[in-house]
Amino acid sequence: LGGLEDGEDVESPTHPLLRRQGTSALGTKSITMFGSVVLIVNNVSGPGMLALPQVFQQSGWVLPVVTFVVICVISSLSATLLADAMAAVPGNDHRFGKRVEFACVFDEFYGANAKKAVLLVVCLCLLSQVLSSIVATAQVVDSFVVFLSPNSTTYALQLAPLSLVSWQPPSNPNPVIWPGDDPSQHGPNATTPVAPLPMECHGGDSVPFQGPQYGPVVTLGYVISLVAIAPMGFFNLEENIWGQIVSFWMLLVFTAEFLWQFWVEGLEARRVPAFGESYSGMLGSVIFNYAFIVTIPSWVNEKREEVSVNGAVWASTVSSTVMYVMVGVMGAMAYDSVDGNFLNSLASHCNPQLTRLSSFLFASGIVAMSVPVFTVMMRYNLIMSSVCSDSAAIWVTALGPFAVSWVLYRGNLFNEVINWSGQVLNGPVNFMLPFLLSLTAIGASRAFPPLLPSFPGTSLPA
C-alpha cells in the first residue's frame, strides 16, 4: 500500500495518519447535519459569487447557466467520491473514525511524492480563496469607513511613494430622475432631496483607492479586516461553526435584500443577452465558485457519524446554484455596467443606506467568515502531512495570507485571481483528482492504467 514503510502497520501509532490525531490543533467529530450544510454552503458561496453579475453581462445567460448546472453536478459527484476514497483507506470506513486529510489520501494510494505534489496544489487552491476573500472584504470595509465617516473619508498608507493618503467619493451635482419623478421638481430651487445619478455611481470611482493617482496601498479597511479576521484562524473548524451559522443566516437575509435592490434598480433584459461577447472569464469564475471539494476531508473528519455525506453535499450545492444564478442574472440586469466585485456597486454612495449597510455586513459576515475556514483547512493539511510543527502551521496559515493579499487590492487583480485560479488550480484539484483517486480506491486502477499517475516506490492496492 502506497504511503506505508516496509513492515509498518497502518494501525501502528507511529503511522502519520494516527500520530497527529490527538493534537489540540485539530478538532473533534461534533458537526451536525445542519452545521454541515451551513459549512458547505458558506464554502461554496465565497468571493467568487461577487464576480457573477459581471460574468453574466459579458457572457450572456445561456452558457453560464448551462455551465453552472454541469459544474454543480460534477462537483457534487466529486465530493461524494472523495469521501468514498477516504472511507477506503485501510483502517477507515464510512464512519470516518480515522482522520485523513486531502493530501494524506494520496499518500495512502500513490505514495509520499504524490502527497507532496497534491499538498502544494491544495494549499495554493485554499490560498486563492483566502486572498480573494480578504481583498473583497477590505474593499467593502473601506467603503463602510466612508459610510460612517462624518466627512466621507477613508485613509491608506501608500508604499510607493511612502505617504499617508485619503479618499473621498467624487461629488456629482446632477440630480436623480427616478422613474415616475417630475423633472420640474429637481434643480437648484427644488425642495426634495437630490442624490447623485445612479448611472454615474456604479463605475470605478465608487471603489476607494482604485484611481491611477494611487500606488500600492495598505488601507484602513485592510487593517480593520486583519484585526477582525486573523484571530479566528487560530481556532479549530468545530470552534468556527458558531460563526458559520451566523454567517449562513446573514447570507440568506442579505442575498434576499440584494435581489430586492436589483429589482428596485430596474431589471432590463437588454443588459444580459442570450449570448455575450466575451467568454474568457466565464469558466474560471464558475469553477472557482465550486472549489469546495478540497474542504470535504476536513469536514468529513469532524462531522458526526450519523450525518449523510450525500445529503449534506447535494442539498448545499443545488441550493447554492439556484442562488448563484439568481444573483448573477438579476445583478447583471440591474446595472448597465457592474463592478467585478458587485459589493462595490451595492456599497456605492448612490445606493439607499439599507443596501449599503447590507453590503458591508455581507462582506464582514459572509465573505470574511470564509477566511478562517480555509486557513484552518490549510493548517489541517500541513499538520497531518507532517510538513511542520503544529504551532508553525497555525501561525503561517492564520497570518501569512494577510502578508501578501494587500498586493491584490488595486486594479483587476481580484478578478484575475478568481479567473486563473479557477482554471489552473481549482479545476484539476477539485474535479479531476477526486475522480481518479476514487477509481484507484475502488480497485479500478488496473482497468484504467493510463489515467493514473505513477510515482517511484508506489504500490497500488490490489
Side-chain angles (χ1 to χ4, degrees), residues 209-227:
F209 305 108
Q210 297 298 306
Q213 70 271 32
Y214 298 104
V217 292
V218 177
T219 69
L220 178 59
Y222 191 87
V223 175
I224 294 174
S225 300
L226 166 65
V227 173

PDB file of all heavy atoms in Angstrom, residues 209-227:
ATOM      1  N   PHE A 209      -9.454  54.092  -3.589  1.00  0.00           N
ATOM      2  CA  PHE A 209      -8.038  53.929  -3.948  1.00  0.00           C
ATOM      3  C   PHE A 209      -7.811  53.121  -5.227  1.00  0.00           C
ATOM      4  O   PHE A 209      -6.807  52.438  -5.360  1.00  0.00           O
ATOM      5  CB  PHE A 209      -7.261  53.288  -2.794  1.00  0.00           C
ATOM      6  CG  PHE A 209      -7.387  54.034  -1.498  1.00  0.00           C
ATOM      7  CD1 PHE A 209      -8.143  53.513  -0.460  1.00  0.00           C
ATOM      8  CD2 PHE A 209      -6.764  55.264  -1.319  1.00  0.00           C
ATOM      9  CE1 PHE A 209      -8.276  54.211   0.742  1.00  0.00           C
ATOM     10  CE2 PHE A 209      -6.894  55.965  -0.126  1.00  0.00           C
ATOM     11  CZ  PHE A 209      -7.649  55.435   0.909  1.00  0.00           C
ATOM     12  N   GLN A 210      -8.752  53.202  -6.180  1.00  0.00           N
ATOM     13  CA  GLN A 210      -8.574  52.482  -7.436  1.00  0.00           C
ATOM     14  C   GLN A 210      -8.061  53.380  -8.563  1.00  0.00           C
ATOM     15  O   GLN A 210      -7.747  52.895  -9.641  1.00  0.00           O
ATOM     16  CB  GLN A 210      -9.897  51.847  -7.873  1.00  0.00           C
ATOM     17  CG  GLN A 210     -10.423  50.800  -6.910  1.00  0.00           C
ATOM     18  CD  GLN A 210      -9.496  49.618  -6.759  1.00  0.00           C
ATOM     19  OE1 GLN A 210      -9.102  48.991  -7.734  1.00  0.00           O
ATOM     20  NE2 GLN A 210      -9.105  49.318  -5.523  1.00  0.00           N
ATOM     21  N   GLY A 211      -7.982  54.668  -8.326  1.00  0.00           N
ATOM     22  CA  GLY A 211      -7.560  55.594  -9.364  1.00  0.00           C
ATOM     23  C   GLY A 211      -6.083  55.479  -9.691  1.00  0.00           C
ATOM     24  O   GLY A 211      -5.282  54.985  -8.880  1.00  0.00           O
ATOM     25  N   PRO A 212      -5.673  55.951 -10.878  1.00  0.00           N
ATOM     26  CA  PRO A 212      -4.269  55.853 -11.294  1.00  0.00           C
ATOM     27  C   PRO A 212      -3.330  56.705 -10.461  1.00  0.00           C
ATOM     28  O   PRO A 212      -2.111  56.522 -10.517  1.00  0.00           O
ATOM     29  CB  PRO A 212      -4.317  56.345 -12.752  1.00  0.00           C
ATOM     30  CG  PRO A 212      -5.537  57.211 -12.828  1.00  0.00           C
ATOM     31  CD  PRO A 212      -6.525  56.599 -11.898  1.00  0.00           C
ATOM     32  N   GLN A 213      -3.867  57.655  -9.692  1.00  0.00           N
ATOM     33  CA  GLN A 213      -3.014  58.514  -8.881  1.00  0.00           C
ATOM     34  C   GLN A 213      -2.470  57.811  -7.645  1.00  0.00           C
ATOM     35  O   GLN A 213      -1.585  58.339  -6.961  1.00  0.00           O
ATOM     36  CB  GLN A 213      -3.771  59.780  -8.454  1.00  0.00           C
ATOM     37  CG  GLN A 213      -4.890  59.554  -7.441  1.00  0.00           C
ATOM     38  CD  GLN A 213      -6.231  59.249  -8.105  1.00  0.00           C
ATOM     39  OE1 GLN A 213      -6.277  58.649  -9.178  1.00  0.00           O
ATOM     40  NE2 GLN A 213      -7.312  59.668  -7.472  1.00  0.00           N
ATOM     41  N   TYR A 214      -2.989  56.610  -7.355  1.00  0.00           N
ATOM     42  CA  TYR A 214      -2.549  55.881  -6.163  1.00  0.00           C
ATOM     43  C   TYR A 214      -1.562  54.777  -6.538  1.00  0.00           C
ATOM     44  O   TYR A 214      -1.718  54.094  -7.556  1.00  0.00           O
ATOM     45  CB  TYR A 214      -3.738  55.251  -5.433  1.00  0.00           C
ATOM     46  CG  TYR A 214      -4.738  56.254  -4.920  1.00  0.00           C
ATOM     47  CD1 TYR A 214      -5.960  56.443  -5.566  1.00  0.00           C
ATOM     48  CD2 TYR A 214      -4.466  57.023  -3.791  1.00  0.00           C
ATOM     49  CE1 TYR A 214      -6.885  57.360  -5.102  1.00  0.00           C
ATOM     50  CE2 TYR A 214      -5.392  57.950  -3.320  1.00  0.00           C
ATOM     51  CZ  TYR A 214      -6.591  58.114  -3.980  1.00  0.00           C
ATOM     52  OH  TYR A 214      -7.494  59.022  -3.521  1.00  0.00           O
ATOM     53  N   GLY A 215      -0.557  54.589  -5.699  1.00  0.00           N
ATOM     54  CA  GLY A 215       0.358  53.467  -5.840  1.00  0.00           C
ATOM     55  C   GLY A 215      -0.104  52.311  -4.974  1.00  0.00           C
ATOM     56  O   GLY A 215      -1.260  52.261  -4.552  1.00  0.00           O
ATOM     57  N   PRO A 216       0.779  51.353  -4.679  1.00  0.00           N
ATOM     58  CA  PRO A 216       0.420  50.251  -3.771  1.00  0.00           C
ATOM     59  C   PRO A 216       0.027  50.793  -2.405  1.00  0.00           C
ATOM     60  O   PRO A 216       0.717  51.653  -1.845  1.00  0.00           O
ATOM     61  CB  PRO A 216       1.720  49.428  -3.689  1.00  0.00           C
ATOM     62  CG  PRO A 216       2.502  49.823  -4.898  1.00  0.00           C
ATOM     63  CD  PRO A 216       2.154  51.241  -5.188  1.00  0.00           C
ATOM     64  N   VAL A 217      -1.087  50.306  -1.872  1.00  0.00           N
ATOM     65  CA  VAL A 217      -1.604  50.846  -0.624  1.00  0.00           C
ATOM     66  C   VAL A 217      -1.967  49.732   0.358  1.00  0.00           C
ATOM     67  O   VAL A 217      -2.335  48.625  -0.037  1.00  0.00           O
ATOM     68  CB  VAL A 217      -2.861  51.723  -0.867  1.00  0.00           C
ATOM     69  CG1 VAL A 217      -2.496  52.997  -1.606  1.00  0.00           C
ATOM     70  CG2 VAL A 217      -3.929  50.946  -1.622  1.00  0.00           C
ATOM     71  N   VAL A 218      -1.824  50.051   1.634  1.00  0.00           N
ATOM     72  CA  VAL A 218      -2.392  49.245   2.719  1.00  0.00           C
ATOM     73  C   VAL A 218      -3.445  50.130   3.362  1.00  0.00           C
ATOM     74  O   VAL A 218      -3.122  51.114   4.035  1.00  0.00           O
ATOM     75  CB  VAL A 218      -1.325  48.828   3.740  1.00  0.00           C
ATOM     76  CG1 VAL A 218      -1.976  48.058   4.891  1.00  0.00           C
ATOM     77  CG2 VAL A 218      -0.251  47.973   3.086  1.00  0.00           C
ATOM     78  N   THR A 219      -4.702  49.795   3.153  1.00  0.00           N
ATOM     79  CA  THR A 219      -5.787  50.695   3.524  1.00  0.00           C
ATOM     80  C   THR A 219      -6.257  50.473   4.959  1.00  0.00           C
ATOM     81  O   THR A 219      -5.955  49.452   5.589  1.00  0.00           O
ATOM     82  CB  THR A 219      -6.986  50.504   2.578  1.00  0.00           C
ATOM     83  OG1 THR A 219      -7.580  49.219   2.831  1.00  0.00           O
ATOM     84  CG2 THR A 219      -6.546  50.584   1.123  1.00  0.00           C
ATOM     85  N   LEU A 220      -6.998  51.450   5.451  1.00  0.00           N
ATOM     86  CA  LEU A 220      -7.582  51.337   6.787  1.00  0.00           C
ATOM     87  C   LEU A 220      -8.530  50.150   6.840  1.00  0.00           C
ATOM     88  O   LEU A 220      -8.555  49.402   7.835  1.00  0.00           O
ATOM     89  CB  LEU A 220      -8.317  52.627   7.140  1.00  0.00           C
ATOM     90  CG  LEU A 220      -9.032  52.662   8.497  1.00  0.00           C
ATOM     91  CD1 LEU A 220      -8.049  52.420   9.626  1.00  0.00           C
ATOM     92  CD2 LEU A 220      -9.751  54.009   8.679  1.00  0.00           C
ATOM     93  N   GLY A 221      -9.306  49.930   5.781  1.00  0.00           N
ATOM     94  CA  GLY A 221     -10.199  48.775   5.728  1.00  0.00           C
ATOM     95  C   GLY A 221      -9.445  47.461   5.771  1.00  0.00           C
ATOM     96  O   GLY A 221      -9.910  46.484   6.355  1.00  0.00           O
ATOM     97  N   TYR A 222      -8.269  47.446   5.178  1.00  0.00           N
ATOM     98  CA  TYR A 222      -7.444  46.232   5.194  1.00  0.00           C
ATOM     99  C   TYR A 222      -6.950  45.934   6.612  1.00  0.00           C
ATOM    100  O   TYR A 222      -6.970  44.778   7.061  1.00  0.00           O
ATOM    101  CB  TYR A 222      -6.258  46.413   4.251  1.00  0.00           C
ATOM    102  CG  TYR A 222      -5.489  45.151   3.973  1.00  0.00           C
ATOM    103  CD1 TYR A 222      -5.874  44.290   2.952  1.00  0.00           C
ATOM    104  CD2 TYR A 222      -4.386  44.796   4.741  1.00  0.00           C
ATOM    105  CE1 TYR A 222      -5.182  43.118   2.703  1.00  0.00           C
ATOM    106  CE2 TYR A 222      -3.691  43.633   4.505  1.00  0.00           C
ATOM    107  CZ  TYR A 222      -4.087  42.800   3.477  1.00  0.00           C
ATOM    108  OH  TYR A 222      -3.404  41.637   3.250  1.00  0.00           O
ATOM    109  N   VAL A 223      -6.506  46.965   7.316  1.00  0.00           N
ATOM    110  CA  VAL A 223      -6.026  46.783   8.690  1.00  0.00           C
ATOM    111  C   VAL A 223      -7.162  46.323   9.601  1.00  0.00           C
ATOM    112  O   VAL A 223      -6.987  45.426  10.438  1.00  0.00           O
ATOM    113  CB  VAL A 223      -5.398  48.087   9.209  1.00  0.00           C
ATOM    114  CG1 VAL A 223      -5.009  47.945  10.676  1.00  0.00           C
ATOM    115  CG2 VAL A 223      -4.183  48.459   8.370  1.00  0.00           C
ATOM    116  N   ILE A 224      -8.343  46.931   9.435  1.00  0.00           N
ATOM    117  CA  ILE A 224      -9.503  46.512  10.237  1.00  0.00           C
ATOM    118  C   ILE A 224      -9.838  45.050   9.958  1.00  0.00           C
ATOM    119  O   ILE A 224     -10.132  44.275  10.886  1.00  0.00           O
ATOM    120  CB  ILE A 224     -10.711  47.421   9.935  1.00  0.00           C
ATOM    121  CG1 ILE A 224     -10.440  48.847  10.408  1.00  0.00           C
ATOM    122  CG2 ILE A 224     -11.978  46.870  10.589  1.00  0.00           C
ATOM    123  CD1 ILE A 224     -11.512  49.847  10.020  1.00  0.00           C
ATOM    124  N   SER A 225      -9.789  44.643   8.691  1.00  0.00           N
ATOM    125  CA  SER A 225     -10.061  43.253   8.324  1.00  0.00           C
ATOM    126  C   SER A 225      -9.054  42.308   8.965  1.00  0.00           C
ATOM    127  O   SER A 225      -9.416  41.237   9.464  1.00  0.00           O
ATOM    128  CB  SER A 225     -10.029  43.097   6.799  1.00  0.00           C
ATOM    129  OG  SER A 225     -10.989  43.923   6.179  1.00  0.00           O
ATOM    130  N   LEU A 226      -7.784  42.707   8.977  1.00  0.00           N
ATOM    131  CA  LEU A 226      -6.737  41.890   9.603  1.00  0.00           C
ATOM    132  C   LEU A 226      -7.025  41.681  11.079  1.00  0.00           C
ATOM    133  O   LEU A 226      -6.984  40.552  11.587  1.00  0.00           O
ATOM    134  CB  LEU A 226      -5.386  42.572   9.408  1.00  0.00           C
ATOM    135  CG  LEU A 226      -4.219  42.068  10.269  1.00  0.00           C
ATOM    136  CD1 LEU A 226      -3.885  40.625   9.908  1.00  0.00           C
ATOM    137  CD2 LEU A 226      -2.990  42.955  10.089  1.00  0.00           C
ATOM    138  N   VAL A 227      -7.332  42.753  11.787  1.00  0.00           N
ATOM    139  CA  VAL A 227      -7.563  42.671  13.229  1.00  0.00           C
ATOM    140  C   VAL A 227      -8.809  41.843  13.540  1.00  0.00           C
ATOM    141  O   VAL A 227      -8.840  41.080  14.524  1.00  0.00           O
ATOM    142  CB  VAL A 227      -7.693  44.087  13.825  1.00  0.00           C
ATOM    143  CG1 VAL A 227      -8.094  44.019  15.297  1.00  0.00           C
ATOM    144  CG2 VAL A 227      -6.386  44.845  13.663  1.00  0.00           C
TER     145      VAL A 227
END
